[in-house]
Amino acid sequence: MSSTLDAPLATPAPETGPGALAVTQERVPTRRRYLMCEPRFFTVEYVINPWMRPDQPVSTERAVEQWTELKRTYERLGHQVETIEPQPGLPDMVFAANSGTVIDGRVLGARFRAEQRSAEAEHYRRWFLEHGYRSVVMPEKINEAEGDFAWTGGLLLAGTGFRTDPGAHAEAQEVLGVPVVSLRLVDPRYYHLDVALFVLDDQSERPLVAYYPEAFSAGSQRVLRRLFPDAVIANDADAECLGLNGVSDGRNVVLPKEATHLAERIAERGFEPVLVDISELRKSGGGPKCCTMELRG
Ligand code: ARG
């Protein structure tokens, strides 16, 4: 038996040499501006993805609590959060990411595939006009915005297969003036790009992403390996809690709390996982990123 005085002090991990942590880079956060919409009218009353089960109970109150905590989390991290007024009869309006892609202050709005969500696009379009955006273009093709578009800082990764029309990819390239890379989604559970992939670092020369390979076609998996050979690869469990629906500021990475494997992998790369409870919104097929549109420039 050893006394407390004899107990050895914990040895700090060496910074270099054998036993050093696998952290290779100091990650630097940048201040972000987000648009969010309180889930005041949130329900699950129709089925447009495999997560939605109108026969299962949903608590609007819990959804509001979890959303409020997500918003506070962003504010605590130093980010600016704008809000748009939710509308009765539009239970999915909380998923702000689906209603606009904003790069360098240019806005490409949304055109929803499901009739039940189509009216959301116009509310967001008005928000942009009322908040000083000069260049607001509404798409002709089906376009679910950041649900299917991920900006790496140099490339716009664009998903198709379930929601966004491949023609919307070409439209995005013309309207936003950024190079677009099309990727094909093949698993109906991962019906949007933002539940299969997210960008961890959009500020450096070599952008870093995390993704779940099985959500993509064989050809798109090859494209991703070619573009991002050092990507963080998610496993089944990460995908099944919608763990790929993360939001990174370059250092802090907001993730659903169940995504523990993914959190460990990104911590090894020098990021700071910030876990949130988003279980109520997952009943509609959403996570932190779905609730968050980034306003760039
Ligand atoms: N119920 C919504 C839908 O199926 C969820 C959208 C989630 N948003 C997202 N960016 N993945 O359209």
Side-chain angles (χ1 to χ4, degrees):
M1 217 180 89
S2 66
S3 77
T4 32
L5 281 175
D6 296 330
L9 291 170
T11 340
E15 280 172 31
T16 54
L21 295 170
V23 172
T24 46
Q25 214 177 317
E26 177 67 23
R27 301 290 175 182
V28 184
T30 54
R31 188 162 191 253
R32 308 287 164 136
R33 194 162 162 247
Y34 297 129
L35 176 58
M36 298 179 74
C37 179
E38 189 188 35
R40 207 182 303 152
F41 304 106
F42 178 69
T43 59
V44 176
E45 57 192 38
Y46 48 77
V47 180
I48 55 172
N49 70 53
W51 300 84
M52 302 176 83
R53 301 275 311 271
D55 54 328
Q56 304 282 81
V58 172
S59 163
T60 305
E61 197 186 320
R62 284 208 67 204
V64 169
E65 280 166 20
Q66 292 175 353
W67 178 90
T68 304
E69 190 47 39
L70 177 63
K71 178 170 178 283
R72 285 207 193 108
T73 300
Y74 292 138
E75 288 165 346
R76 258 201 308 275
L77 293 171
H79 305 310
Q80 186 184 340
V81 180
E82 309 284 347
T83 55
I84 178 173
E85 190 59 20
Q87 300 296 323
L90 294 176
D92 276 340
M93 196 173 164
V94 54
F95 301 117
N98 299 138
S99 280
T101 306
V102 186
I103 298 175
D104 284 343
R106 284 176 195 275
V107 181
L108 178 58
R111 182 178 293 271
F112 285 89
R113 184 163 293 278
E115 170 59 30
Q116 294 97 324
R117 295 196 65 184
S118 62
E120 294 175 35
E122 176 60 17
H123 291 288
Y124 280 86
R125 187 185 75 91
R126 258 188 262 142
W127 187 91
F128 287 117
L129 295 177
E130 285 162 9
H131 288 78
Y133 288 84
R134 294 288 173 77
S135 167
V136 180
V137 175
M138 296 308 279
E140 275 170 28
K141 304 287 185 182
I142 301 292
N143 179 326
E144 298 200 0
E146 287 197 321
D148 275 319
F149 288 110
W151 177 238
T152 71
L155 292 177
L156 190 61
L157 305 179
T160 187
F162 298 100
R163 299 290 183 87
T164 297
D165 187 291
H169 297 179
E171 223 181 335
Q173 173 157 301
E174 284 307 307
V175 171
L176 298 169
V178 295
V180 172
V181 175
S182 291
L183 299 167
R184 180 159 296 274
L185 297 163
V186 294
D187 183 332
R189 290 174 301 169
Y190 310 118
Y191 57 95
H192 271 148
L193 180 67
D194 76 353
V195 289
L197 173 149
F198 73 102
V199 178
L200 283 159
D201 179 1
D202 62 3
Q203 297 295 307
S204 57
E205 291 277 305
R206 278 163 63 96
L208 187 63
V209 304
Y211 68 96
Y212 177 58
E214 288 83 348
F216 296 91
S217 68
S220 293
Q221 289 184 33
R222 298 216 306 276
V223 170
L224 287 168
R225 281 201 298 273
R226 193 181 276 266
L227 285 175
F228 309 109
D230 54 356
V232 174
I233 301 298
N235 67 15
D236 296 352
D238 296 326
E240 283 161 13
C241 64
L242 295 181
L244 277 307
N245 203 241
V247 178
S248 175
D249 65 11
R251 180 184 175 89
N252 307 289
V253 182
V254 177
L255 291 176
K257 68 174 173 37
E258 296 83 357
T260 50
H261 166 269
L262 185 58
E264 282 168 27
R265 297 289 82 77
I266 65 170
E268 287 167 2
R269 305 291 189 96
F271 295 93
E272 202 73 61
V274 179
L275 302 179
V276 296
D277 183 3
I278 205 78
S279 53
E280 214 54 33
L281 293 154
R282 190 159 48 227
K283 294 177 179 172
S284 189
K289 170 61 203 172
C290 301
C291 297
T292 313
M293 181 199 295
E294 184 161 355
L295 303 167
R296 301 177 188 83

